[in-house]
Amino acid sequence: MTKIRYTKERLRSNSRMGIFFVAIGIILVLISFITSEWKEISLASIGIGQIGAGIFMFIIYYFENKKQYLTLKNGELIKNSLFPKKIKLAEIKSIKEFAGDLKLITQNTEFIIDTQIVEPNSLEELKNELKNYNLK
């Protein structure tokens, strides 16, 4: 089983955004407790929403860090997302590179790989694996 990893910058930005949203949320909740003069918009509810968004970003960070972008396993390429997508490497008819993406084309479907979010070493590993299947 080979994992094609996300770039470190993508993972770091998800964790930074999580920290940022949680910090802003806590600050807004504290401000709403200190100044109770806000009648029209409740800062506490906005702050709780910000904390929720931060927690959601931490969940995305954890999922992407644990699963990574792609998994090569038993002749299948799996794109790890909430609903994973699979393609059998033996069924690939052609590969096209366009605008920084790899497009794997089979008889029925197209499988698009965003190379901008893939770590360069992992991208080379993926291309080498595709060469093993005599694909260009």
Side-chain angles (χ1 to χ4, degrees):
M1 181 171 79
T2 305
K3 288 193 176 190
I4 307 303
R5 304 182 64 77
Y6 283 108
T7 59
K8 290 184 185 351
E9 183 57 36
R10 178 182 173 99
L11 295 174
R12 268 189 258 136
S13 70
N14 284 343
S15 66
R16 286 180 192 149
M17 285 179 56
I19 291 168
F20 175 76
F21 281 131
V22 168
I24 293 298
I26 290 171
I27 289 169
L28 288 174
V29 168
L30 290 176
I31 288 174
S32 73
F33 284 131
I34 293 170
T35 61
S36 59
E37 296 177 16
W38 291 88
K39 301 283 189 228
E40 295 174 16
I41 302 173
S42 171
L43 285 181
S45 61
I46 295 173
I48 290 170
Q50 291 286 323
I51 291 171
I55 290 170
F56 184 69
M57 288 306 300
F58 282 129
I59 290 169
I60 291 173
Y61 166 76
Y62 176 76
F63 179 80
E64 288 184 352
N65 195 31
K66 183 171 172 58
K67 291 283 193 173
Q68 294 302 320
Y69 185 48
L70 299 169
T71 305
L72 283 164
K73 184 177 180 182
N74 300 329
E76 283 188 334
L77 185 63
I78 303 165
K79 188 185 286 186
N80 297 313
S81 60
L82 188 58
F83 302 106
K85 297 176 185 169
K86 295 180 183 179
I87 188 170
K88 293 187 184 211
L89 295 177
E91 294 178 359
I92 297 174
K93 301 292 183 196
S94 66
I95 298 174
K96 293 184 180 179
E97 273 191 71
F98 181 73
D101 292 343
L102 281 176
K103 190 182 285 190
L104 309 178
I105 301 170
T106 66
Q107 186 82 17
N108 303 325
T109 61
E110 291 183 352
F111 191 85
I112 298 173
I113 299 170
D114 185 2
T115 58
Q116 303 296 318
I117 60 173
V118 176
E119 191 176 56
N121 295 336
S122 291
L123 184 60
E124 287 301 317
E125 195 174 336
L126 174 65
K127 287 181 179 180
N128 289 336
E129 188 69 30
L130 292 174
K131 284 179 187 175
N132 290 342
Y133 282 87
N134 296 322
L135 300 170
K136 288 187 175 183

